Amino acid sequence: MTKEKRERIPNSEATRVIPKGRLLIIGGKEDKGDNPSRQQEHNINFISEEILKRFVDELKGENPLVVVIPTASRQPEETARDYVEVFHGLGAKNVQVADVRTRPEANNPELVELVRNAAGIMFTGGDQLRLTSIFGGSEMLVAMKETYAFKDIIIAGTSAGATAMSTPMIYEGESDGGYIKGDVRVTTGLEFLKNVAVDTHFLTRGRIVRLTQAICTNPECIGIGLEEDTAILVTQGGNVEVVGSGLVTVVDGMGITETNISEIDNGEPFTAKGLRMHMLGSAEKYVVPSYLRFQLQ
């Protein structure tokens, strides 16, 4: 979609499309061929570098361009270097880094063109609020969304890069609790997934209650909790396949029959009845309801 055509779409009007692109949303600490965790070693089905191999396998075209975006990281050069080395080792030789640290850089025409030409984009971990505050409303983000909608690209994110993929986006919360109203803070993410809240390091850091609180504030949303070295591959905007060595937890609040979240004050425990939960292992599938899927502004 050209800039001219995009400007003809009223800001209040969203166009629902079935994206041609794919998302690979990773729960953090994906295996990079180094020392696997004890949990991974105990999994008889553990495959070294499985998630990042899947990313490379999904790239389309001859000598496909991979763009690494380390914006979320406080050590962007080191973080980007790690992914460049891993992708090179997995056979992806055409890898460039978009080291965006400011909003003006997110509107740089050369970087906009870079992501438009990419076959794959990788958002690293760090702080998801850096991603939304720098890329929100930028030309780079517009280009990535249009490319995702109309081109056979794969866009990946790990840890903070995964959490930022969705809306609503959890950007702060108590990992060891989350049952107190006000403990969980939510804002708008990058919106590659609409009405889906993603949380990462999910079982390792005990984040099920904080994700549930986020869902109770808007039960129309689906919560997806990703364990470390575990990912979901999303095709057609909402067809989900689990990849990796751990579990994916889906929290479905649409059937909630009772919650006190709107009645209590901050600092009080919240309650919820009628939640549904699914736990999915490698290669299992889940379908996000069609009316919750990607919209192109």
Side-chain angles (χ1 to χ4, degrees), residues 45-296:
N45 294 318
F46 171 70
I47 301 173
S48 179
E49 302 172 288
E50 178 181 5
I51 294 171
L52 296 181
K53 285 177 181 174
R54 183 64 178 268
F55 175 84
V56 172
D57 288 345
E58 292 284 333
L59 297 171
K60 306 298 183 184
E62 184 177 348
N63 193 27
L65 170 63
V66 174
V67 178
V68 177
I69 301 178
T71 302
S73 176
R74 296 288 181 181
Q75 299 175 306
E77 293 179 2
E78 179 181 337
T79 301
R81 185 169 57 249
D82 288 344
Y83 280 97
V84 171
E85 291 177 357
V86 171
F87 288 141
H88 282 171
L90 293 173
K93 303 303 183 183
N94 187 9
V95 184
Q96 296 190 42
V97 177
D99 189 359
V100 177
R101 305 189 190 189
T102 66
R103 286 189 60 79
E105 289 174 345
N107 291 311
N108 182 317
E110 292 183 1
L111 295 178
V112 172
E113 190 65 16
L114 185 69
V115 296
R116 286 196 184 278
N117 291 328
I121 295 172
M122 178 76 196
F123 287 99
T124 73
D127 180 352
Q128 56 264 42
L129 208 54
R130 286 179 58 79
L131 289 172
T132 55
S133 62
I134 290 173
F135 285 107
S138 71
E139 287 299 315
M140 278 188 76
L141 183 57
V142 168
M144 285 186 274
K145 286 184 176 180
E146 291 179 353
T147 303
Y148 170 59
F150 301 115
K151 180 180 173 182
D152 197 0
I153 188 175
I154 181 164
I155 300 177
T158 184
S159 192
T163 304
M165 289 274 198
S166 63
T167 290
M169 181 188 84
I170 299 172
Y171 70 93
E172 193 173 334
E174 299 295 329
S175 289
D176 58 353
Y179 63 93
I180 300 297
K181 181 180 177 180
D183 275 355
V184 180
R185 294 166 183 82
V186 175
T187 189
T188 300
L190 300 179
E191 296 192 297
F192 290 101
L193 281 176
K194 291 279 288 185
N195 299 309
V196 177
V198 172
D199 209 350
T200 57
H201 307 277
F202 195 66
L203 300 177
T204 300
R205 300 185 186 179
R207 289 178 165 174
I208 187 167
V209 179
R210 84 171 194 175
L211 180 60
T212 300
Q213 181 173 159
I215 296 306
C216 283
T217 64
N218 186 353
E220 183 181 40
C221 296
I222 297 290
I224 297 181
L226 303 171
E227 180 49 7
E228 294 174 354
D229 193 48
T230 309
I232 54 172
L233 179 69
V234 182
T235 57
Q236 297 187 317
N239 296 337
V240 172
E241 175 191 349
V242 180
V243 181
S245 64
L247 287 176
V248 170
T249 304
V250 178
V251 179
D252 183 347
M254 290 191 220
I256 287 178
T257 57
E258 184 180 337
T259 179
N260 66 353
I261 197 76
S262 64
E263 308 297 330
I264 59 176
D265 295 324
N266 282 348
E268 295 185 59
F270 80 96
T271 62
K273 298 177 182 178
L275 283 159
R276 291 198 304 165
M277 185 174 70
H278 313 284
M279 302 193 78
L280 310 174
S282 182
E284 293 196 17
K285 307 292 178 63
Y286 177 81
V287 178
V288 175
S290 59
Y291 62 89
L292 300 181
R293 298 192 182 193
F294 178 76
Q295 292 180 345
L296 183 66

